[in-house]
Each structure stands twice: as structure tokens, then as C-alpha cells.
Amino acid sequence: MIKTKLEKVFHLSENHTDIKTEFIAGCTTFMTMSYILAVNPSILSEAGMDKGAVFTATILAAFIGTMLMAVLSNYPIALAPGMGLNAYFAYTVVLEMGYTWQVALAAVFVEGVIFIILSLTNVREAIFNAIPPGLKNAASVGVGIYIAFIGLQNAKIIVDGNKLVAFYSFHKSVEEGRFSQEGITVLLALLGIIITSILVIKKVKGNILWGILITWGLGIVCELTGLYKPQGEFVSLLPDFSRGLYIPSLKPTFMQMDFSKVFTFDFMVVMAAFLFVDMFDTIGALIGITARADLLDANGKLPRVKGALTADAIATFSGAVLLTHNRDASPIAVAKYSKEAGYSVDGSGSSWTLISEGCRHYGVKAKTVALDESRMKAELDAGHPIVVNVGPGDFTDTGHFMVITGYDDEGFSINDPNSIEKSGKRWLFKNISSQIRAVWSMYV
């Protein structure tokens, strides 16, 4: 019954496939692209966005795009947020050009609307078909090399060097005592590439999926034997259900776009940049995937391309809607409001009164957290920044509130609500524990 329905909807026999093959391919695709669930929130949080909400929005945007691709075009292509565009969004538009990420998301929203119009009116299809086959292949190769380079960078196989880039130095990592955290992960990445390459050459079914699972298994063995020691950004490879299963709320990132700059020249420049980069990124990816899957016709054109491009356009639109934020609902704002409210630990109100007033004002929840390094790290890992009240000393003034936004090998990253632009300060737990009077984890 189910098999008959799937055959009717997706024409499995006509496309020389079956349910088993599709299941393995789906699992492989998910495992291959699941890295975005960690990378996308990490990149966009640099622009001030809520990690938990970005995580949920990433999943929903990928789900919407992929389902639309299946329904509108019946192509085996998964859609998800693009890492290159997200980096441009966070580091160039927000951090370098100085726009709020709400304005940047408005640009993505407008781009999505234009994409939908171009797709439904066949203009985008005409552009796609007008590009010569050689240029299409070049775009495909370019996108592939770019993605491969990002992967090598994320795995730290390639690092910054005197000549722009260099290979990772295992010798240096041993000398600096970083091999058990960083060096071993690079070694595992190289082993994973070799194992996966062998499986691909041998034409083993589910080769990429098996490569991922085998590499993960080797990582777990390394952690259990002490070769790999999780610390800071290098997290445990063992499944952790200590905090239960939950889905972060979309509330802080839904339907609050800022269109105040929409008629400015700079906004048009940003929107046009998103539009053209996204357009050619899509063309390169579509050609690369469909050519490899032998889906192009004799003239090098892609049948049902309109459905594929429409799915991509709606996914872009959906991503902008899901990743939109109420700028006031943030731990930084809560701490700043609390300080401005005139409360003090030793004066007119208690620490809890101070924080609770700010939370009610900005719609953010707070819960007390024990002054424990591992507990604080667990809250930060869950995407919950921490507001702390600190006492006298060299660290800060009496009754001052600071926001801990993350941590790494150098210590906890701290922002001052009264000078948010001065971020990046790091303090070891042992250096701040004696001065912290109260700790709250902030979430929506």
C-alpha cells in the first residue's frame, strides 16, 4: 500500500531507484549536511542572534525547502541555509557594514520575494537556461571547491599561514599541548576522508554515510581511551541526554523584520549582493548535483527546473521569516535595563528584584544557576547566555552586571552591557568565581 503510493507520487521505477536506496540516500544526505545545525547558529550568533532560535529555524527552513523540492520538482535534492551567504550576512553586512541583523534579514526577505516572482514568471528559468554549458560547469566546480575549502578549514586541516594558508602542524600541536583536543580531531578528519574515499572508489552502498559513522565511532573510541579530551569548543562525541530532549523556542526570532532602511542605497546594495550570490550559488549547486545524478537532458538543460527554483525561492523567503528577531529581548538588554533601573545589590533592591524587573520589561526568562564551572558551560552550550552580578575588585565595580556569552580554552567570553562593542574579554573561572555574587541563565 505504502510502496504503491510512493511509486505513484515519486515515480521510483521510472527513476531507476527503490525505497531502500532512497532511505539510505536520505540518511546519507542528512548526515552529510547536519553540520549546519552547529555551524549556522555559531555563525549567526556572531551577529547577535539567539543560538537556540537559529538552531530551530535552521531545521524548519531546511525541512520546508526540501519538502517543496520533492513536491514541486521530484528531484533528490536537499535544501538548507548556505554557509557562504550566512558568513557574508554576519561578518560583512552586520559586523563590518554596521547594520543590525534585523535589517540584514529584511534584505534576505526582499530577496526571497524577488526570487519567488522571478521563479513564477519564468525569468529565473530563462536565466538558468541562457547560461552556456561551460559556464554552468565552471560554476558547479567553483561551488564544489569553495565547499571543500570550507570543510578543510572547519576540520582545521588547512589553517592560516604565512602564505595565506598552510597545512595543520601536528608537531606544533604536540609541543603546545593541544594534540589531545585539536590535533586528534584533525587526524580523525583525515582518516575520515581516506575511509570515505576508499568506500566511494569501491562503490559501497551508502559510502558517505558509512564514512561518517565509522569516523564518529573512531572518535568515540579516542574519547573513551583518553586520546581525545573534550574541552571548550571541542565537545564530547558521546550522546548527552542529561538535560533531556527539548526544542528551542522560535519566539525570539519570528516576524520582527526591520524595514526602516529598505529605501536606502546601501540596503539595495546588500539586497542585490544576496540576490546575485544566491542565484549563481543555486545554479552551480543544481548543475553539479543533477549532472552527477544524470538528470540533465541531451541539451544540458534541467527538466522541471521551474519547480526546483521555486522551491529554492520559497525556502529563502521562509528562512528570512523564521530568522527574524525582536531586538529588545536579549540578556544584554536585560542587564543594561536592570542597571539603569537604579537597583543595586546593597541598596534599594535585591539582585533577584533587579534581574526580574529587566526580564519582565524585555520578555526574557531567567533562572538562577549554581556558581559551578561545568554547570555554567552546560547553560552556554544550550544557547543560554549568563548574566552575572559581580563584586568589588579589579574585575569590575560593585553592583555591576556583566554578560557571559561563551567560553573557549582561554576562558569565559564576557560583554559589558554599558559598552557592548567592547566584547571578546576572557576571564578564567578561577579569576571571576570569587567576585561573582549571583548568576542567572537567560532564555526565551
Side-chain angles (χ1 to χ4, degrees):
M1 185 71 175
I2 296 177
K3 184 177 181 180
T4 303
K5 286 186 177 181
L6 291 174
E7 176 65 41
K8 185 178 179 179
V9 174
F10 297 109
H11 310 288
L12 300 180
S13 299
E14 182 183 330
N15 290 297
H16 310 292
T17 185
D18 53 38
I19 295 176
K20 180 182 177 182
T21 300
E22 292 300 302
F23 178 78
I24 294 174
C27 290
T28 302
T29 303
F30 172 78
M31 294 293 287
T32 304
M33 63 191 291
S34 61
Y35 76 95
I36 67 169
L37 298 179
V39 177
N40 198 37
S42 177
I43 291 175
L44 294 184
S45 66
E46 293 289 324
M49 302 178 75
D50 181 84
K51 270 189 176 181
V54 173
F55 174 82
T56 303
T58 301
I59 294 173
L60 290 176
F63 172 79
I64 292 170
T66 303
M67 290 298 103
L68 286 171
M69 181 66 76
V71 173
L72 297 178
S73 69
N74 193 26
Y75 282 133
I77 300 172
L79 295 178
M83 295 299 99
L85 280 173
N86 287 349
Y88 174 75
F89 177 102
Y91 300 122
T92 301
V93 177
V94 177
L95 296 180
E96 185 177 326
M97 297 178 69
Y99 287 105
T100 64
W101 53 267
Q102 293 88 348
V103 172
L105 276 171
V108 176
F109 179 87
V110 173
E111 177 220 348
V113 172
I114 293 174
F115 258 8
I116 292 175
I117 295 172
L118 293 178
S119 299
L120 293 178
T121 57
N122 297 329
V123 173
R124 203 172 171 206
E125 180 179 353
I127 294 173
F128 184 92
N129 290 330
I131 297 175
L135 190 55
K136 287 180 180 177
N137 292 331
S140 169
V141 172
V143 171
I145 292 174
Y146 176 63
I147 293 173
F149 186 73
I150 290 176
L152 293 172
Q153 278 190 314
N154 288 341
K156 297 189 185 301
I157 295 172
I158 290 178
V159 296
D160 293 337
N162 295 329
K163 298 180 179 179
L164 294 181
V165 294
F167 288 109
Y168 184 82
S169 173
F170 290 103
H171 178 71
K172 188 176 181 180
S173 71
V174 173
E175 285 184 342
E176 296 177 353
R178 294 184 290 108
F179 183 79
S180 59
Q181 282 86 39
E182 186 176 76
I184 188 66
T185 62
V186 178
L187 183 59
L188 284 169
L190 288 170
L191 286 173
I193 292 173
I194 294 171
I195 291 169
T196 305
S197 298
I198 293 173
L199 294 174
V200 170
I201 293 170
K202 295 292 184 181
K203 297 183 179 179
V204 176
K205 272 202 169 184
N207 39 51
I208 296 177
L209 177 61
W210 281 115
I212 293 170
L213 293 175
I214 292 171
T215 306
W216 180 34
L218 291 174
I220 291 176
V221 171
C222 289
E223 183 173 343
L224 294 176
T225 57
L227 288 173
Y228 172 57
K229 298 176 182 178
Q231 184 179 349
E233 64 176 306
F234 300 99
V235 298
S236 173
L237 298 174
L238 298 171
D240 180 15
F241 301 106
S242 60
R243 295 191 296 273
L245 298 173
Y246 72 98
I247 300 175
S249 172
L250 267 178
K251 186 178 178 181
T253 63
F254 189 71
M255 288 301 293
Q256 296 291 332
M257 286 169 286
D258 184 357
F259 292 97
S260 62
K261 307 289 186 182
V262 72
F263 295 111
T264 64
F265 176 76
D266 285 345
F267 182 92
M268 295 299 175
V269 170
V270 171
M271 186 274 296
F274 280 130
L275 182 68
F276 285 104
V277 172
D278 204 0
M279 179 177 292
F280 286 100
D281 187 25
T282 301
I283 290 173
L286 268 180
I287 291 298
I289 294 170
T290 53
R292 184 72 177 84
D294 197 24
L295 296 173
L296 299 178
D297 62 19
N299 298 317
K301 294 183 178 180
L302 181 63
R304 307 188 305 277
V305 68
K306 182 177 181 179
L309 295 175
T310 302
D312 173 64
I314 296 174
T316 300
F317 174 88
S318 301
V321 172
L322 293 169
L323 284 175
T324 313
H325 182 70
N326 180 344
R327 72 185 71 184
D328 291 332
S330 71
I332 293 281
V334 170
K336 188 172 183 179
Y337 173 84
S338 299
K339 185 170 180 60
E340 292 173 347
Y343 292 94
S344 82
V345 177
D346 303 312
S348 59
S350 67
S351 300
W352 176 249
T353 302
L354 190 155
I355 283 295
S356 62
E357 286 294 320
C359 287
R360 279 197 293 270
H361 182 78
Y362 286 104
V364 177
K365 298 178 183 178
K367 59 183 176 182
T368 56
V369 179
L371 187 55
D372 176 81
E373 184 173 10
S374 60
R375 176 67 187 279
M376 289 171 65
K377 288 181 177 179
E379 292 294 329
L380 293 169
D381 288 340
H384 302 160
I386 296 171
V387 172
V388 298
N389 170 238
V390 292
D394 295 335
F395 179 62
T396 189
D397 299 329
T398 304
H400 203 89
F401 278 77
M402 308 289 282
V403 181
I404 298 177
T405 56
Y407 65 92
D408 54 26
D409 291 340
E410 297 179 20
F412 287 94
S413 302
I414 297 177
N415 284 346
D416 181 345
N418 288 330
S419 56
I420 298 174
E421 70 278 2
K422 295 180 180 178
S423 60
K425 298 178 182 177
R426 289 180 173 80
W427 297 82
L428 294 175
F429 179 78
K430 64 181 180 180
N431 292 336
I432 65 173
S433 59
S434 61
Q435 299 176 47
I436 293 180
R437 295 187 176 188
V439 186
W440 295 272
S441 176
M442 315 301 287
Y443 61 104
V444 176

